[in-house]
Amino acid sequence: MIYLDNAATSFPKPKETIDFLNDFVLNVGGNPGRSGHTLSVDAARFIFEARGKLADLFHVSDSERVLFTQNGTESLNLAILGLLKEEDHVITTSLEHNSVMRPLTFLEKEKGIHLSIVQCAHNGQLDVEDIKRLIRKETKAVIINHGSNVIGAVQPVGEIKKAIGEIILIVDACQTVGSFPVDVAADNIDILCFSCHKSLYGIQGLGAIYIRNGIELTPLKFGGTGSRSESIEQPLFLPDRYESGTPNTPGIAALLGGLSFIERTGIKTIIKRKQDLRRTIVDGLSNVPGVVVYGNKDDNNQLPVISFNIGGKLPSEVGYELNKRAIYTRVGLHCAPVAHRTIGTFPEGTVRVAPGYFTAEEEIDVLIKAVWEIAKQP
Ligand SMILES: Cc1ncc(COP(=O)(O)O)c(C=O)c1O
């Protein structure tokens, strides 16, 4: 079995992820922040530590401004639905995932916001001047996919923030966290949305959001926080304002394991290994007659997320053939139809290969051999 779908979720998980998850479920198990007993306090400690490690990894000075959500999608929905009001103008790009495009389209249709979409080039390149040209006095936010889940193109978020000044920069970092340097302080990011189950090695059912001090979002959920129980109003302080209901503490414990693995291994080592794998895959695929690899082939600002097609074959056929050989990729539109229109692969999409830290070089050899075979088939 060869798993090359790490852009959807990472697999396998490091041993630390499983160990921390087991430890929580077997030995702790309390509901954090609710009861005063030892198991509840111990559960809260897992959350406190994971929040702190995320803040350190992304250079956030105040860890209380890092909030847990269910997934990257919920983080983006909180940022978009919680920020934008009638008549606000927002700018985004033609590489966005549907977890950005769908809430924006909903707000455009139902709540009267105004949306501008900057067209990126076929290789994913974005011209920052194009964003500047679209700015109006009602422009409230710019939303940027930091790293494309279709072609791996990484956008210069620091440069974009410089260009837009006081306008709020919302960064969809679902694909970049753990795969590319993410620096909230250096790039002056206002809101960072990400998944914890991809390259941060948590388990499914966990995401997070960082919200800069001074930005007010209307919460998506209201309810019990374990704090200020005497009041029927939602607390205003963080993290409680945005974390209602029993959290996914087993998932947060698993994330703490994943972050410990990243710390032990070194984020630079992890990024380098995945970049080496990316290069091997791009080189191998590019040599197969009839294969088109999308996006940039050089090393500049690319994630280990590679889309390709075999001329004359549908991506679904190629994916079926690979699956028959127990090689697991993701085919189709990857929840990003606008991105596929941008690279010219709508509506069939592409075959996406996303290696992970645990992918072996021999597995890439098997993939490339299989693509040669499939390309030769009539
Ligand atoms: C760029 C991008 N944004 C958002 C998401 C949504 O994240 P999640 O699956 O955690 O909801 C994904 C997931 O594939 C993604 O790749």
Side-chain angles (χ1 to χ4, degrees):
M1 187 276 278
I2 298 179
Y3 183 82
L4 293 168
D5 196 15
N6 289 277
T9 199
S10 57
F11 182 78
K13 304 295 179 188
K15 185 175 176 306
E16 281 95 327
T17 301
I18 316 297
D19 287 348
F20 275 69
L21 174 62
N22 270 339
D23 179 35
F24 179 79
V25 176
L26 291 172
N27 304 318
V28 184
N31 197 331
R34 304 299 194 265
S35 326
H37 60 72
T38 303
L39 293 186
S40 172
V41 173
D42 285 352
R45 205 165 287 134
F46 278 82
I47 300 182
F48 179 80
E49 272 187 49
R51 215 189 289 284
K53 278 196 197 298
L54 285 178
D56 289 348
L57 190 58
F58 305 133
H59 302 157
V60 168
S61 53
D62 180 358
S63 66
E64 300 223 316
R65 305 209 67 86
V66 178
L67 299 321
F68 287 108
T69 62
Q70 201 183 344
N71 43 43
T73 301
E74 189 181 322
S75 303
L76 287 158
N77 273 261
L78 170 58
I80 293 168
L81 301 175
L83 180 73
L84 298 172
K85 305 276 178 302
E86 209 175 327
E87 298 304 329
D88 281 344
H89 173 238
V90 59
I91 302 171
T92 191
T93 82
S94 71
L95 280 183
E96 301 306 309
H97 190 273
N98 268 346
S99 50
V100 168
M101 293 314 296
R102 286 181 175 173
L104 285 178
T105 305
F106 164 76
L107 288 179
E108 191 183 30
K109 289 207 166 135
E110 306 288 332
K111 305 280 176 192
I113 67 147
H114 303 284
L115 173 62
S116 300
I117 300 176
V118 174
Q119 189 61 39
C120 298
H122 286 298
N123 65 1
Q125 205 170 337
L126 173 76
D127 187 344
V128 179
E129 288 302 312
D130 287 343
I131 297 181
K132 274 172 92 174
R133 267 191 285 279
L134 288 167
I135 293 174
R136 316 173 188 164
K137 73 172 187 336
E138 313 79 49
T139 306
K140 182 79 162 273
V142 171
I143 309 179
I144 300 287
N145 186 342
H146 193 195
S148 166
N149 62 310
V150 176
I151 49 170
V154 176
Q155 304 302 346
V157 287
E159 201 186 316
I160 293 168
K161 179 61 189 172
K162 272 193 200 128
I164 66 173
E166 293 298 302
I167 295 167
I168 294 172
L169 177 67
I170 302 175
V171 175
D172 173 357
C174 286
Q175 291 296 336
T176 43
V177 288
S179 288
F180 200 86
V182 172
D183 193 328
V184 162
D187 288 341
N188 210 359
I189 293 169
D190 296 306
I191 301 181
L192 185 79
C193 302
F194 54 98
S195 320
C196 296
H197 58 97
K198 299 181 196 274
S199 294
L200 298 181
Y201 304 109
I203 56 172
Q204 293 170 38
L206 195 69
I209 182 170
Y210 157 75
I211 308 168
R212 179 173 59 69
N213 191 14
I215 296 178
E216 263 309 303
L217 303 179
T218 307
L220 293 181
K221 296 178 201 162
F222 297 80
T225 54
S227 57
R228 300 276 158 86
S229 288
E230 75 286 357
S231 172
I232 57 167
E233 286 190 33
Q234 186 74 2
L236 292 178
F237 54 87
L238 268 59
D240 299 32
R241 180 160 174 71
Y242 301 106
E243 287 183 351
S244 290
T246 298
N248 177 3
T249 323
I252 295 171
L255 171 70
L256 187 54
L259 294 171
S260 305
F261 164 78
I262 293 175
E263 246 176 38
R264 176 170 65 80
T265 313
I267 185 75
K268 285 194 179 139
T269 307
I270 293 174
I271 291 176
K272 181 175 179 314
R273 164 140 192 85
K274 291 200 283 192
Q275 282 298 341
D276 290 346
L277 291 167
R278 185 189 72 77
R279 225 167 290 122
T280 311
I281 293 168
V282 170
D283 290 348
L285 288 174
S286 304
N287 286 333
V288 184
V291 165
V292 182
V293 180
Y294 299 91
N296 268 331
K297 296 205 190 75
D298 63 38
D299 284 351
N300 289 333
N301 298 334
Q302 285 293 122
L303 293 178
V305 176
I306 302 123
S307 259
F308 75 96
N309 272 325
I310 302 180
K313 291 187 194 294
L314 289 171
S316 52
E317 291 172 53
V318 178
Y320 175 76
E321 286 295 327
L322 289 170
N323 192 54
K324 270 192 349 199
R325 293 162 173 80
I327 301 173
Y328 304 137
T329 59
R330 176 155 173 207
V331 301
L333 295 173
H334 313 99
C335 298
V338 288
H340 279 280
R341 285 186 195 277
T342 302
I343 66 169
T345 49
F346 188 87
E348 283 82 16
T350 54
V351 184
R352 184 182 75 184
V353 179
Y357 181 75
F358 299 109
T359 304
E361 277 79 4
E362 301 77 56
E363 294 180 316
I364 303 301
D365 294 345
V366 175
L367 166 78
I368 303 298
K369 197 164 154 270
V371 174
W372 273 91
E373 276 169 24
I374 298 166
K376 271 197 231 142
Q377 283 170 2

